Amino acid sequence: MSNESGMNRKEAIKRTGLLLGGVIFAPNILGVLKGCSPTPGGWDPELFSAEQARVVTALSDVILPADDTPSASEVGVPQFIETMVKDHYSEEQRNQFLDGLDRFADEYRTEIQGEYFDGTDDEKYDFTYHQNRIAIEESPGESPFILTFKELTMLGYFTSEVGATQVLRYEANPGMYDGCMPLEEVGRTWAT
Amino acid sequence: MNLNIKAREENTYDAIVVGTGISGGWSAKELTENGLETLVLERGRDVKHIDDYPTATLDPWELPPNDQVPYEERKHYEKQLRTGYTIRESTKHWWIRDTDQPYEERKRFDWIRGYHVGGRSIMWGRHSYRLSPMDFEANAREGIAVDWPIRYEDLEPWYSHVEKFAGICGEALGLPQLPDSEFLPPMELNCVEEALRESMAETFDRVLTTGRVANLTRSHQGRGSCMYRNLCSRGCPYGAYFSSNASTLPAAERTGNMTLRPHSIVNSVMYDEETGKATGVRVVDAESGEMYEYYARIIFLNASTVNSTSILMNSTSDRFPDGMGNDSGELGHNMMDHHFRVGANGEMDGFEDRYYYGRRPNGFYIPRFRNINGNDRDYLRGFGYQGSASREGWHRGVRELAIGSELKNLVSTPGKWTLGMTAFGEMLPDHSNRMWLNHDETDKWGQPTVVFDVEFKENEYKMREDMKNDAAEMLEAAGMKNVSTYDDAGGPGLGIHEMGTARMGRDPQTSVLGEWNQIHTVPNVFITDGSCMTSAACQNPSLTYMALSARAANYAAEQIKKGDL
């Protein structure tokens, strides 16, 4: 890319900043659709049993744990998963998911002893890593429980503000298009 | 004093326009700018530009989970859901609920609709291509259906007229099969699209160009430039793409000559046997259920292909027992769409240190290259492609071994470059592809419902072989890996380009409309939506509806001034 277009890009970004001040936002936008911004804590499961909810929370945090960015449960992923399974799945898909969840917990009990959500970080990680590996290697083209769960976890996380803006990159209003920019100037994967 | 006469005076206009989508907006603009007092009827609710785009600025986390409509509610959108992309929480308010708007399918037909001011101009794909001289000549040359009563030269100035107002970005190429428009600066291709472009030029002498879309690449006609959010179908708060709401209806409003009446379902066009002209329209108020009559010297039907045809079919009289203007028996026949959802995907190595900035509401376009200089294939006509390249996002992590912090790290770097493209092919007009009205099954406003009997035929299926194989061949020649093809036509209608059920032609015995889009036998009724199309070409049709509407409206206004209408 030429220096000139680099200049244009910076100019364009500056201009966007100015324009944004003038954007007309519908004042009651948030009231129109019932926003579901999952917040940590205070989750009262409607579909999952208390035990299932603890497995869902622990498993989502093994898949996306807290490190220099927050964990799945800190951004409300367990609630997100419950909403998806409860409101967006057919009865058949829902039963399949719940069976898979219970079987996952059972297998852990058989192999490691005790409850998944009581396991140490290493125990949970090793068991989950193994389950993920088996699913990928042995079920190409299918979606066994662990991969469905992983996908839901990632979906909830990366459509949350934290996931989209801290782990990935999100610009509500890019203001310009550059079709071939050095990756390092963008930095991270676009959330959308 | 005769109250009826007074009521009739109050309900009388110079012109009536039925429908507010792409073509209706243009008819309204051109008629009002010619000084005609115009009543504009819309069957759905009003939608004010910006104010009535409730989801336009919502971030993903402000929407319900994954922007997804709950399972139970999806049952109301059984047919609208067939597109796979229309019914989201952020866009569902633009689409009708099938449970409110039933129709019958003798064969699968995907009738995808939005009933509100602006119609589908709010959610359209915005790709805007001129038809070419060869498109207007093809029927006559090949003996298919009937000849268009106009040629490219008749429409050329009107393409320019509408493009200058609407704002079409793109690249001039000088191709005979895809004439250039009046362009705003083009949107960029990305690196991998550029690589495919170079390979195609070198290996096949074929052209790939940036999509010609009705998005503004700089401010234009008082509307703002594109912000590259790619949320067009929610409605654009910048007015950065062409819609009736952002563009033509405000222009009509500014003249002071437009009266817009939402919630107005047109039941039929009234006909006067003595004058041989239409007198006005009967309207069912969608909220009260009451019937009103409105009168005018000219009537423009722009209700969309199926609905304009339905109105004519429901407008019966002693003179027209089979529907207004239907002496030919062709009304409701020759239904066309584009057939698509066939093409190829591939992965491109290299360019790992390159990425893009911004969400371009556009992709690339490959103009038709088959059957340009004579027919050398085993089918007639041709197809173009639309597609785009991008780098894989977080989703690629689902089937990776990584979990935990490794997974976060993995997906925070974009994955492979992938490129996909789908062909849009021309569908031939065929008398047996048709729609009609069922008067025994009425909707909740007591109006007859529509029955479809339409299918793709041999020419389309033969063409699809090339549509699929040519795509794969071009991707492989460009060095792409893991090239795969797909072919899933779906039902006619899925292209949302319904056309042809009140076609233009030279002969009243074989067509419904003449060279100025007037009904041959009812000269003060004009139809300039997709129903007028004599053939489909393979280009997206909306730009042609715009040009035909502007041309017909200016002709009608001239005829009124001369006292001929």
Side-chain angles (χ1 to χ4, degrees):
Chain A
M1 185 193 324
S2 70
N3 283 334
E4 193 187 38
S5 64
M7 283 296 287
N8 286 342
R9 187 165 65 243
K10 280 181 200 138
E11 281 302 305
I13 290 171
K14 252 194 271 171
R15 278 207 307 276
T16 307
L18 291 175
L19 278 172
L20 274 173
V23 176
I24 303 149
F25 285 95
N28 58 347
I29 252 171
L30 289 172
V32 173
L33 286 170
K34 205 171 149 198
C36 179
S37 325
T39 47
W43 177 36
D44 200 3
E46 291 175 50
L47 172 70
F48 298 151
S49 68
E51 192 181 281
Q52 285 171 329
R54 292 181 73 184
V55 178
V56 166
T57 304
L59 178 53
S60 65
D61 279 349
V62 169
I63 293 169
L64 293 171
D67 38 32
D68 45 0
T69 52
S71 70
S73 68
E74 284 175 295
V75 303
V77 166
Q79 294 92 318
F80 173 92
I81 292 174
E82 184 181 54
T83 305
M84 291 293 287
V85 174
K86 182 167 69 72
D87 297 338
H88 297 268
Y89 277 22
S90 68
E91 195 181 348
E92 191 190 342
Q93 291 170 312
R94 187 157 49 243
N95 290 336
Q96 213 177 345
F97 180 92
L98 294 172
D99 286 350
L101 181 62
D102 290 342
R103 246 183 292 126
F104 179 86
D106 276 346
E107 276 185 51
Y108 186 89
R109 272 183 217 108
T110 309
E111 284 185 32
I112 316 289
Q113 312 297 321
E115 296 298 328
Y116 181 82
F117 46 78
D118 288 334
T120 65
D121 284 354
D122 282 351
E123 282 169 343
K124 285 183 291 188
Y125 180 91
D126 290 346
F127 180 80
T128 309
Y129 184 89
H130 179 72
Q131 293 274 325
N132 182 53
R133 186 172 63 78
I134 299 291
I136 290 167
E137 288 173 0
E138 295 182 4
S139 313
E142 289 171 52
S143 190
F145 167 76
I146 186 67
L147 294 185
T148 300
F149 192 94
K150 192 179 178 186
E151 185 172 17
L152 281 174
T153 301
M154 295 176 79
L155 182 61
Y157 191 80
F158 293 119
T159 55
S160 78
E161 186 168 7
V162 163
T165 63
Q166 294 183 26
V167 179
L168 307 179
R169 182 164 177 196
Y170 176 73
E171 290 291 341
N173 218 335
M176 55 158 285
Y177 180 74
D178 185 329
C180 203
M181 186 187 256
L183 172 57
E184 61 191 31
E185 284 186 38
V186 180
R188 301 190 297 272
T189 307
W190 290 113
T192 172
Chain B
M1 183 173 172
N2 188 325
L3 283 175
N4 280 335
I5 287 175
K6 187 173 175 236
R8 182 160 176 148
E9 275 172 9
E10 281 175 0
N11 283 357
T12 298
Y13 297 81
D14 295 328
I16 292 172
V17 175
V18 181
T20 56
I22 292 235
S23 69
W26 269 104
S27 298
K29 173 183 178 296
E30 300 295 315
L31 293 170
T32 55
E33 288 181 348
N34 271 286
L36 300 182
E37 291 287 337
T38 304
L39 174 67
V40 179
L41 299 169
E42 164 54 49
R43 64 176 294 151
R45 70 186 187 280
D46 196 8
V47 172
K48 292 273 182 253
H49 181 47
I50 303 176
D51 291 350
D52 292 328
Y53 304 153
T55 59
T57 56
L58 295 185
D59 290 315
W61 49 90
E62 294 174 323
L63 288 159
N66 197 29
D67 198 8
Q68 214 164 301
V69 176
Y71 187 80
E72 284 303 313
E73 196 182 341
R74 290 165 66 91
K75 292 175 180 167
H76 290 291
Y77 297 98
E78 184 212 332
K79 289 164 188 177
Q80 307 303 301
L81 277 162
R82 291 176 184 175
T83 63
Y85 63 85
T86 45
I87 304 301
R88 314 288 298 179
E89 283 290 344
S90 58
T91 54
K92 68 183 184 191
H93 46 288
W94 299 140
W95 306 96
I96 58 107
R97 286 157 70 106
D98 291 302
T99 42
D100 294 337
Q101 311 276 357
Y103 66 92
E104 187 186 330
E105 305 166 271
R106 289 290 164 89
K107 301 187 184 80
R108 177 179 166 179
F109 189 90
D110 303 331
W111 192 17
I112 313 298
R113 294 167 280 167
Y115 290 161
H116 47 257
V117 167
R120 294 180 293 194
S121 79
I122 294 179
M123 317 82 92
W124 69 307
R126 305 171 309 285
H127 278 262
S128 301
Y129 304 97
R130 291 188 180 191
L131 267 53
S132 72
M134 75 179 67
D135 294 317
F136 288 99
E137 291 157 13
N139 278 5
R141 194 175 59 240
E142 296 160 359
I144 299 291
V146 297
D147 188 14
W148 279 87
I150 58 171
R151 287 292 179 262
Y152 177 72
E153 292 68 31
D154 297 307
L155 210 49
E156 188 174 22
W158 296 102
Y159 275 129
S160 290
H161 177 82
V162 298
E163 287 158 359
K164 283 178 191 162
F165 181 79
I168 312 294
C169 66
E171 177 190 27
L173 296 166
L175 299 173
Q177 74 273 34
L178 194 74
D180 296 325
S181 293
E182 310 275 345
F183 288 127
L184 296 178
M187 287 185 184
E188 273 181 39
L189 297 172
N190 64 40
C191 344
V192 166
E193 295 163 350
E194 282 285 357
L196 178 61
R197 173 188 173 113
E198 282 163 29
S199 159
M200 279 174 47
E202 202 170 303
T203 314
F204 301 98
D205 197 23
R206 291 176 191 162
V207 175
L208 179 151
T209 187
T210 177
R212 297 174 174 179
V213 287
N215 288 74
L216 304 182
T217 45
R218 63 175 180 227
S219 25
H220 181 73
Q221 299 278 350
R223 298 185 283 122
S225 181
C226 181
M227 291 289 118
Y228 298 94
R229 308 178 325 135
N230 197 20
L231 300 179
C232 309
S233 58
R234 298 184 189 177
C236 184
Y238 306 95
Y241 72 89
F242 175 89
S243 67
S244 300
N245 312 65
S247 311
T248 44
L249 293 176
E253 179 75 43
R254 282 194 294 274
T255 65
N257 292 328
M258 177 173 77
T259 304
L260 177 64
R261 191 187 197 284
H263 302 297
S264 301
I265 301 170
V266 172
N267 159 277
S268 55
V269 179
M270 297 177 291
Y271 181 70
D272 182 342
E273 305 266 350
E274 280 176 29
T275 60
K277 286 183 181 172
T279 54
V281 296
R282 288 188 197 90
V283 167
V284 179
D285 185 295
E287 291 180 311
S288 70
E290 279 181 56
M291 184 85 90
Y292 296 85
E293 292 183 352
Y294 293 95
Y295 307 92
R297 294 171 73 171
I298 54 169
I299 295 158
F300 269 69
L301 292 184
N302 296 104
S304 80
T305 291
V306 175
N307 285 319
S308 288
T309 301
S310 297
I311 290 167
L312 289 184
M313 286 179 160
N314 205 38
S315 305
T316 51
S317 56
D318 289 343
R319 168 68 183 84
F320 295 114
D322 300 320
M324 182 174 277
N326 192 20
D327 293 353
S328 65
E330 293 294 336
L331 187 66
H333 291 265
N334 311 298
M335 173 78 83
M336 299 170 284
D337 184 21
H338 288 113
H339 62 108
F340 70 127
R341 305 216 308 183
V342 54
N345 299 300
E347 294 168 1
M348 187 70 134
D349 289 341
F351 307 99
E352 283 91 359
D353 61 343
R354 295 278 137 178
Y355 207 16
Y356 35 80
Y357 185 99
R359 297 185 292 280
R360 182 189 54 184
N362 187 8
F364 62 76
Y365 188 70
I366 298 175
R368 173 177 161 184
F369 51 81
R370 290 294 186 195
N371 292 331
I372 300 285
N373 300 309
N375 274 347
D376 58 352
R377 314 302 294 174
D378 63 349
Y379 55 86
L380 300 174
R381 318 289 166 96
F383 52 89
Y385 290 98
Q386 291 177 25
S388 64
S390 59
R391 292 189 73 162
E392 291 173 322
W394 63 261
H395 198 269
R396 76 194 169 98
V398 174
R399 279 187 181 270
E400 292 284 349
L401 293 179
I403 60 168
S405 294
E406 295 86 359
L407 181 60
K408 281 187 181 174
N409 286 337
L410 175 83
V411 300
S412 68
T413 300
K416 285 196 239 19
W417 282 94
T418 63
L419 182 145
M421 60 196 212
T422 186
F424 284 76
E426 177 162 0
M427 179 178 176
L428 291 179
D430 190 297
H431 183 80
S432 70
N433 280 332
R434 69 184 190 114
M435 57 162 280
W436 64 92
L437 294 184
N438 181 348
H439 292 273
D440 297 326
E441 293 287 329
T442 53
D443 66 15
K444 64 183 184 186
W445 298 279
Q447 304 304 301
T449 52
V450 177
V451 185
F452 293 98
D453 186 355
V454 182
E455 63 183 5
F456 297 128
K457 296 190 188 285
E458 194 187 355
N459 198 66
E460 286 81 57
Y461 286 113
K462 281 183 178 166
M463 187 188 294
R464 292 179 80 80
E465 286 302 305
D466 266 5
M467 293 160 86
K468 180 175 66 184
N469 296 332
D470 289 352
E473 188 183 37
M474 291 188 286
L475 298 196
E476 274 164 3
M480 299 209 180
K481 305 281 161 56
N482 294 325
V483 172
S484 59
T485 58
Y486 60 94
D487 180 356
D488 173 21
L494 205 49
I496 326 187
H497 296 162
E498 314 90 77
M499 290 174 268
T501 44
R503 70 184 177 196
M504 295 169 76
R506 298 175 189 275
D507 181 355
Q509 293 308 308
T510 57
S511 59
V512 179
L513 307 173
E515 61 175 325
W516 298 101
N517 293 74
Q518 285 164 296
I519 296 181
H520 287 297
T521 47
V522 190
N524 65 335
V525 177
F526 294 77
I527 309 182
T528 61
D529 58 26
S531 56
C532 75
M533 299 289 279
T534 313
S535 67
C538 67
Q539 298 91 317
N540 303 51
S542 296
L543 184 68
T544 298
Y545 307 162
M546 295 190 208
L548 286 168
S549 298
R551 177 177 177 268
N554 281 281
Y555 173 80
E558 240 171 66
Q559 296 298 302
I560 284 184
K561 282 171 202 161
K562 279 200 250 167
D564 289 348
L565 270 179

